Amino acid sequence: MNAHQRSTCCSIAPPDLLGRLAVTGNAKEREAAVRALATSAAIRSQRAVMGRLNRQLNLNIGQLVGFAVTPERRLTIYDNQTNGRTFLPGVRARDWGQPAVADDAVNQAYDGSSATYEFYRDVMQRNSLDGAGLELVSSVHYGVAFDNAFWDGSQMVYGDGSGRIFQVGGLTRSLDVIAHELTHGVTELTAGLVYSKQSGALNESFSDVFGSLVKQYSLKQGAADADWLIGAGILVPQLGTALRSMSKPGTAYSGDRQPGHMDDYVDLPDNNDPRNDNGGVHINSGIPNRAFYLAATALGGFAWEKAGRIWYTVLTTRLRPNTQFDEAAQATVDVAGRLFSATEQAAVEGAWKEVGVLS
């Protein structure tokens, strides 16, 4: 495989953070980080293969793995019972339409998946991730004190957190984390953005955008009132307040390297070193993240109504696997003019100019 075909795994924990803790953290942090990195590496191939099969063969994920695509079952939550990936999805813990159970993680995964499904249905008129009613499958209690959550190409998987990197139970509590990871499924089945360098940073940024929008929609928050944080309160306090800040990239946690302007773009190799983050996909996503924040706040009101509609249209109709920042930016400008007016178009263009992508 060449660099653009190499298999990847989109997980919520920034690999550069895990890589740094694996080298420089205390003994407990090192142990937790190494465990998270090893497990993430083990599921890379499956995710890449699933995405390519879906796009190239025009199949849906449900056909490939046997999950339902029916109006009767929107989602199902399984308990992985602290086992590894060979046990996925695990034991069925809560079916669609069933009442809450005693397990908080099961209920949180259920509620977060449902909220994401309803956002895409009601706001973007998209019928689940594939547009055809795909059942959203989730497994909780994955691994032992596993510090990550990820979309593996067919379903969501949540660890419990170790209390050394992520707070115990934090990964299923965070609605924007759930929506972020599920949006990787939308991206796989539409733009197919290659998970490397700028296209990979766009992949991460679109997930942050819609993760934040799902949270804002659930809270009925306007753009001016949102915190624009991804994963607020899920890291242990000594590491930081969140995984990313869309309004102030580089301020979310200790060692956060996200830039908010192209002048500070971090040019990293995509060489399988987790500290280099697939060429900086979680790092340089700060630039398009801030552009969206600037556009949304300039447009005002509810961010999903205008800025979100523009970004969704671009993601699902205008991007190619190797799209770069400037191409994505110009596409949002064009779509803003087509969907709305010159006023919205100017706001979007101004946002990209402010972060140095357009001139």
Side-chain angles (χ1 to χ4, degrees), residues 119-170:
F119 172 85
Y120 276 110
R121 180 195 65 192
D122 297 342
V123 178
M124 300 302 167
Q125 292 75 57
R126 184 176 187 86
N127 185 10
S128 193
L129 306 185
D130 63 347
L134 176 72
E135 175 191 4
L136 303 184
V137 173
S138 301
S139 298
V140 299
H141 304 308
Y142 177 83
V144 179
F146 177 54
D147 278 301
N148 220 333
F150 56 87
W151 167 258
D152 78 346
S154 63
Q155 67 161 95
M156 274 300 305
V157 183
Y158 301 94
D160 289 324
S162 65
R164 301 171 183 181
I165 299 174
F166 287 100
Q167 294 189 31
V168 175

Side-chain angles (χ1 to χ4, degrees), residues 84-259:
R85 67 185 292 263
T86 55
F87 190 61
L88 288 172
V91 176
R92 186 172 293 179
R94 186 176 174 189
D95 219 337
W96 167 243
Q98 289 184 338
V101 297
D103 189 323
D104 287 341
V106 170
N107 297 328
Q108 290 161 354
Y110 184 101
D111 292 343
S113 295
S114 183
T116 304
Y117 180 100
E118 290 169 0
F119 172 85
Y120 276 110
R121 180 195 65 192
D122 297 342
V123 178
M124 300 302 167
Q125 292 75 57
R126 184 176 187 86
N127 185 10
S128 193
L129 306 185
D130 63 347
L134 176 72
E135 175 191 4
L136 303 184
V137 173
S138 301
S139 298
V140 299
H141 304 308
Y142 177 83
V144 179
F146 177 54
D147 278 301
N148 220 333
F150 56 87
W151 167 258
D152 78 346
S154 63
Q155 67 161 95
M156 274 300 305
V157 183
Y158 301 94
D160 289 324
S162 65
R164 301 171 183 181
I165 299 174
F166 287 100
Q167 294 189 31
V168 175
L171 290 161
T172 51
R173 284 199 302 266
S174 180
L175 175 57
D176 50 1
V177 165
I178 293 173
H180 169 107
E181 289 301 318
L182 287 171
T183 297
H184 281 305
V186 176
T187 300
E188 275 185 5
L189 296 164
T190 55
L193 288 163
V194 172
Y195 206 64
S196 178
K197 294 186 174 285
Q198 286 195 18
S199 59
L202 288 170
N203 192 318
E204 278 297 319
S205 179
F206 276 102
S207 274
D208 278 353
V209 163
F210 290 102
S212 183
L213 289 182
V214 170
K215 179 173 72 172
Q216 291 175 40
Y217 182 71
S218 74
L219 297 172
K220 298 297 181 278
Q221 284 182 328
D225 301 317
D227 64 12
W228 295 101
L229 296 173
I230 302 298
I234 67 173
L235 287 170
V236 294
Q238 59 267 33
L239 289 181
T241 59
L243 292 174
R244 285 176 290 283
S245 170
M246 297 181 70
S247 61
K248 298 177 181 178
T251 65
Y253 62 85
S254 175
D256 185 353
R257 294 192 285 166
Q258 275 209 318

Side-chain angles (χ1 to χ4, degrees), residues 287-343:
I287 296 169
N289 274 3
R290 179 159 169 77
F292 181 82
Y293 159 77
L294 291 169
T297 51
L299 293 171
F302 294 123
W304 59 85
E305 292 182 336
K306 289 186 177 180
R309 172 60 63 179
I310 293 164
W311 259 246
Y312 174 79
T313 302
V314 168
L315 174 65
T316 56
T317 67
R318 294 289 299 269
L319 302 187
R320 306 180 314 280
N322 290 301
T323 294
Q324 303 295 289
F325 283 1
D326 59 343
E327 298 169 306
Q330 190 58 56
T332 63
V333 174
D334 295 344
V335 168
R338 178 166 61 82
L339 292 182
F340 299 105
S341 72
T343 300

